[in-house]
Amino acid sequence: MSNLLREAWLFGRSRTALAAVLLLAGCAAAAVALGLASVERDRAAIARMLAGQPAEQAALAAFVHDPGDGAYYGFQPTWDAPTDLAFAALGGRDIAPAMLRVRALALEGQLYENEAANPELALPGRFDLAFVAVYLAPLVLIVLLHDLWSGEREAGRLFALEATPGARWRLWAPRVAVRAGAVLLALLLPFAAGAALSGTAPLRAVGFAGLLLLGCGFWTVLALLVARRSTSSAVNAAALAALWFGLTLVLPAAAGLAINAAVSVPDGAAMARENREEVHAGWDKPKAETMARFVAVYPEFADRAAAPETFSWKWYFAFQHLGDLHVAVESRAYRDGVARRAELASMVGWFLPPAGVAQAMSALAGTDVAAQLAYQERIRAYHRLLRAFFYDYLFNNRPFGAADLGLMPRWQSVDGAP
């Protein structure tokens, strides 16, 4: 204990070391605050959407008189509430929508119409605790550990220090523990405060803290391996800076480019446009042809699918669904491609620990690609329920009124609340 206290006292006397750790702690605190604010904005937006839904339903009930009106004008809310750990690793929540209002119309255009934003603007990601831990904390560890031995050698004290009995455990181990521990503490204290404010589950918080420890441990070991060489402090710092640049920036970017080149993914915006064009073309196609194609998918409606020459809602919703079927192959290819890219990226993470830690943080926080795809799949399942609900009224010629709006299937969040 006395050795640790001695090293802590010496650490406190180093203005450079103390300033680096305090700066890191400030960045971590700012990242946690920004993460909490981002999560709160998402939750507030979801709450506003749900608060306005009763008034919208009441307005719809005032004029609805058939199932077509309910299906066409009824926007149904869906949402993906942030988890209690999302503040620490925002992941893809800066580009993936936290909520989406859907109708019983063609779904593909509704899902992908938000992808018109330039994806390159989202590449840097948001400034969250995961960013600080993966990109900034290693730089502070490099500053604190690169001259652990070379600094003493250049000061002419190394041989005398290593001649001291038990120098490894009495001198070097406490010094490493204090410096690496200070970096870890600069990350853990803001995280603990954010977890308490967000109500993070204890096991999930411990898991994220373990990832922080794993990331710091990797860079501590790497810094010690480089610092132990018989080279100057400047050479050690340059070597570690090059390793940081390669492991956190160059190699992950190169791997991402290689994965994107190897796994092609259809353009979501183009798919939405094709879906809309097919739906609009449905107005000009013969009604008998449209209903025959629809009955091939829903044979249970074969004896009730005849559409009059004038407008009918069942014909309208039939070609809406046929628009989705028109791009079904591309839609599946899109989802499979995105999932495959994420799978390959996770495999790369085993060889690039910084990337692997970042991916694990997003996965634990429920903000990774898998979470986004899961939200889309739940929207698809809900949309099928909506269509089935209105098909029952449309094809069975059942009367529909304001009271039937209350029978529509409702979206259920994973946690049951926004």
Side-chain angles (χ1 to χ4, degrees):
M1 182 60 70
S2 60
N3 293 328
L4 287 173
L5 292 176
R6 181 195 70 240
E7 291 300 328
W9 180 77
L10 291 174
F11 180 83
R13 287 175 56 86
S14 173
R15 292 183 178 180
T16 301
L18 198 59
V21 171
L22 290 177
L23 180 61
L24 178 66
C27 290
V32 168
L34 290 172
L36 289 171
S38 176
V39 167
E40 184 57 33
R41 282 195 299 271
D42 281 353
R43 289 176 175 160
I46 294 171
R48 286 195 302 271
M49 177 185 69
L50 296 181
Q53 192 64 22
E56 185 170 325
Q57 289 293 100
L60 180 62
F63 74 88
V64 65
H65 63 275
D66 60 42
D69 289 336
Y72 184 83
Y73 295 104
F75 286 86
Q76 304 307 317
T78 75
W79 63 92
D80 182 25
T83 68
D84 54 11
L85 188 59
F87 74 92
L90 294 170
R93 291 191 71 89
D94 55 341
I95 55 175
M99 56 188 182
L100 185 67
R101 285 161 32 99
V102 300
R103 293 185 288 172
L105 306 180
L107 180 63
E108 297 298 332
Q110 299 180 71
L111 283 175
Y112 299 115
E113 63 186 1
N114 65 320
E115 293 193 2
N118 185 353
E120 292 186 1
L121 298 178
L123 285 178
R126 288 189 178 179
F127 186 76
D128 55 13
L129 187 60
F131 176 89
V132 174
V134 172
Y135 292 98
L136 302 186
L139 293 175
V140 177
L141 284 168
I142 289 172
V143 170
L144 297 181
L145 299 175
H146 77 280
D147 62 346
L148 202 64
W149 287 280
S150 60
E152 300 294 352
R153 184 189 306 111
E154 292 162 1
R157 298 188 297 263
L158 180 62
F159 295 110
L161 291 173
E162 291 198 331
T164 305
R168 175 177 298 180
W169 301 112
R170 294 178 57 192
L171 176 63
W172 304 120
R175 185 166 297 181
V176 172
V178 166
R179 297 187 179 194
V183 171
L184 185 60
L185 201 61
L187 298 175
L188 287 177
L189 288 180
F191 169 68
L197 291 173
S198 184
T200 306
L203 287 179
R204 190 175 291 173
V206 170
F208 194 88
L211 291 173
L212 293 175
L213 176 62
L214 186 62
C216 289
F218 169 78
W219 283 104
T220 298
V221 171
L222 189 60
L224 293 179
L225 290 175
V226 173
R228 192 57 178 165
R229 302 182 308 162
S230 299
T231 53
S232 66
S233 298
V235 172
N236 290 344
L240 286 168
L243 286 171
W244 173 87
F245 187 70
L247 290 175
T248 61
L249 297 175
V250 176
L251 292 179
L257 291 174
I259 290 172
N260 291 346
V263 181
S264 62
V265 174
D267 181 62
M271 184 165 50
R273 183 173 61 252
E274 184 178 354
N275 172 253
R276 289 182 181 277
E277 290 175 352
E278 177 66 16
V279 169
H280 293 160
W283 288 97
D284 301 321
K285 294 179 180 179
K287 290 184 173 61
E289 175 188 331
T290 296
M291 299 312 295
R293 292 171 56 201
F294 181 80
V295 165
V297 182
Y298 289 93
E300 63 269 28
F301 298 137
D303 58 340
R304 290 155 286 170
E309 289 300 320
T310 57
F311 175 85
S312 70
W313 281 116
K314 59 182 176 182
W315 163 70
Y316 177 80
F317 285 102
F319 73 70
Q320 288 283 331
H321 183 54
L322 291 176
D324 280 342
L325 296 181
H326 179 72
V327 295
V329 174
E330 292 88 342
S331 178
R332 173 51 63 183
Y334 178 91
R335 286 172 278 161
D336 291 345
V338 171
R340 180 57 179 165
R341 284 181 177 181
E343 180 184 352
L344 292 176
S346 66
M347 294 173 61
V348 170
W350 287 102
F351 302 96
L352 298 175
V357 169
Q359 292 164 5
M361 287 177 173
S362 294
L364 187 61
T367 58
D368 59 347
V369 173
Q372 298 168 24
L373 292 177
Y375 175 45
Q376 281 196 2
E377 288 304 310
R378 289 169 49 230
I379 292 177
R380 294 178 188 280
Y382 177 64
H383 189 261
R384 286 194 293 270
L385 292 177
L386 274 181
R387 288 192 294 106
F389 174 81
F390 286 109
Y391 287 171
D392 181 40
Y393 284 89
L394 290 169
F395 287 91
N396 291 317
N397 296 316
R398 292 179 55 192
F400 187 91
D404 296 283
L405 290 174
L407 303 177
M408 284 193 300
R410 304 297 179 187
W411 174 266
Q412 290 295 323
S413 179
V414 172
D415 58 0

